[in-house]
Each structure stands twice: as C-alpha cells, then as structure tokens.
C-alpha cells in the first residue's frame, strides 16, 4: 500500500525450543513469501490492522542474544516455555541484558509464557509469570503456538505498546 505506515522491528528472544519459530510462523502465515535473510536470522514482515489502524511489523526470530539484536529492536518479545523452568530463568537474564544494552530507552517488552497447552508438564505457574513481568515492568501473556491460542493477541499487544510510545520515537 502507498499509505504512510510506520515500520517497527520486533525481536524474539528466548532459549532454544521455547517456541519462537512456531510463534513467528503463525504471525507470518503459512506462506513464507516475505522471508528476509539477515545474518542467518529469519525476518517476516506483515501489516496488522489493530484498532482500525494499520501498522507494519518486521518480526525477527533470533536464537542468541547477540549484541546487534539487542540494539536493533523497537520492541522485544521474551519467550520462555511454561514447561521449562530453566527457560524462565533465562528470560530474566535476557531482561537484564536488554536493560544494560538499551538503558535510557523505554522499549516495549512483552514476556511470553508459551506452551500453555502442556498442562501436565507445566513447571512455571501463570502467577509466577505475571509476578516476573511486574518486576520487569513489562507486559505478560501466556500463549500456545500449538493451539494458536493468544498468538494474534500477542502481536496486537506489541502494536499497542509501540503506539503508546509513538510520541517519543
Ligand atoms: P524455538 O527453538 O524457540 O524457535 O522453538 P520452536 O518453535 O522450534 O519449537 C520447539 C518445539 O516445541 C517444536 O517441536 C514445536 O513444535 C514445539 N512447540 C512450540 N510451541 C508449542 C506450543 O505452544 N505447544 C506445544 N505443545 N509445543 C510447542
């Protein structure tokens, strides 16, 4: 479209196996025609209509908290698996690294507890996730990529958080 639309870079961080690629694939849709290769990382661009307004997100699926991905994001999605306490602890570590890298900036961060469908192997409760997000000063959502539960809500939430800070961009 020729309309004037802002483009925002959204970076997914989290331990291997927590479901980053699965979440990004759902965001991208089944046909992966908009894949851009950047330093071996996949990036998907999609325009979402949220609250009657279009916003374009370039979502980057990364597996390592490399310096560059801590620098380039306009928003961050930190993913852990509710079935993997180690990944929950890594999420805290990533939050600390992000704060160090981008100290003075007020960047939207969404903490995501994925694999909420795996009820019987859950190791991290909803309350723990919520409490952690409160300490981090960020948003929180539980998702299931397998059931496609809350995935659209996650990316809509990212758009709303970006718009809240638009004035300062
Ligand atoms: P990544 O390494 O963080 O990109 O994780 P992947 O997206 O590759 O997912 C790792 C594994 O977990 C794959 O076998 C996925 O099918 C599975 N997985 C991802 N999300 C979910 C989920 O919400 N529920 C369940 N049950 N499995 C999931």
């Amino acid at each position: 479209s020729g309309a004037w639309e802002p483009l925002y870079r959204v970076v997914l961080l989290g331990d291997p196996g927590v479901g980053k690629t699965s979440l990004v694939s759902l965001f991208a849709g089944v046909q992966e025609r908009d894949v851009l290769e950047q330093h071996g990382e996949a990036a998907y661009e999609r325009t979402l209509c949220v609250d009657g307004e279009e916003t374009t997100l370039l979502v980057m699926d990364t597996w390592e908290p490399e310096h560059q991905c801590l620098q380039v994001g306009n928003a961050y999605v930190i993913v852990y698996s509710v079935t993997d306490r180690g990944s929950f602890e890594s999420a805290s570590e990533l939050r600390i690294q992000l704060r160090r890298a981008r100290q003075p900036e007020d960047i939207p961060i969404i903490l995501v507890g994925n694999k909420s469908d795996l009820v019987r192997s859950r190791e991290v409760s909803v309350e723990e996730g919520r409490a952690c997000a409160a300490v981090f000063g960020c948003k929180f959502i539980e998702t299931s990529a397998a059931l496609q539960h809350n995935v659209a809500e996650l990316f809509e939430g990212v758009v709303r958080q970006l718009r809240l800070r638009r004035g300062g961009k």
Side-chain angles (χ1 to χ4, degrees):
S1 78
W4 195 91
E5 294 159 6
L7 173 91
Y8 296 104
R9 281 197 196 81
V10 180
V11 178
L12 272 77
L13 302 173
D15 273 0
V18 297
K20 297 181 299 298
T21 304
S22 306
L23 291 168
V24 172
S25 300
L26 288 173
F27 166 80
V30 270
Q31 70 278 52
E32 299 182 358
R33 62 199 146 78
D34 296 328
V35 184
L36 308 173
E37 281 291 331
Q38 295 185 341
H39 313 295
E41 296 156 359
Y44 302 85
E45 188 178 314
R46 231 187 94 188
T47 299
L48 301 182
C49 188
V50 180
D51 305 326
E53 189 186 338
E54 292 196 334
T55 297
T56 302
L57 298 184
L58 182 64
V59 176
M60 303 167 76
D61 171 14
T62 68
W63 52 91
E64 279 174 50
E66 289 163 4
H67 264 304
Q68 208 195 352
C69 73
L70 293 181
Q71 297 301 332
V72 299
N74 300 116
Y76 287 86
V77 175
I78 301 179
V79 187
Y80 66 91
S81 167
V82 301
T83 65
D84 178 0
R85 182 160 290 279
S87 72
F88 184 58
E89 284 156 10
S90 294
S92 297
E93 195 52 46
L94 286 163
R95 174 70 185 97
I96 290 162
Q97 286 184 35
L98 249 183
R99 182 179 290 153
R100 273 201 207 110
R102 304 286 290 272
Q103 184 73 284
E105 298 171 73
D106 179 25
I107 303 164
I109 299 173
I110 290 88
L111 180 67
V112 177
N114 188 43
K115 307 199 187 183
S116 63
D117 58 292
L118 298 178
V119 177
R120 301 183 69 169
S121 44
R122 184 186 275 272
E123 292 182 357
V124 183
S125 70
V126 187
E127 291 74 21
E128 283 177 284
R130 210 175 276 139
C132 184
V135 169
F136 287 179
C138 71
K139 290 283 170 186
F140 173 69
I141 192 168
E142 279 201 351
T143 58
S144 166
L147 299 181
Q148 305 196 14
H149 179 248
N150 267 353
V151 179
E153 288 80 359
L154 162 62
F155 289 102
E156 286 166 16
V158 171
V159 168
R160 291 198 183 97
Q161 288 300 304
L162 283 162
R163 285 182 188 160
L164 281 173
R165 292 162 175 83
R166 189 157 46 186
K169 189 168 179 279

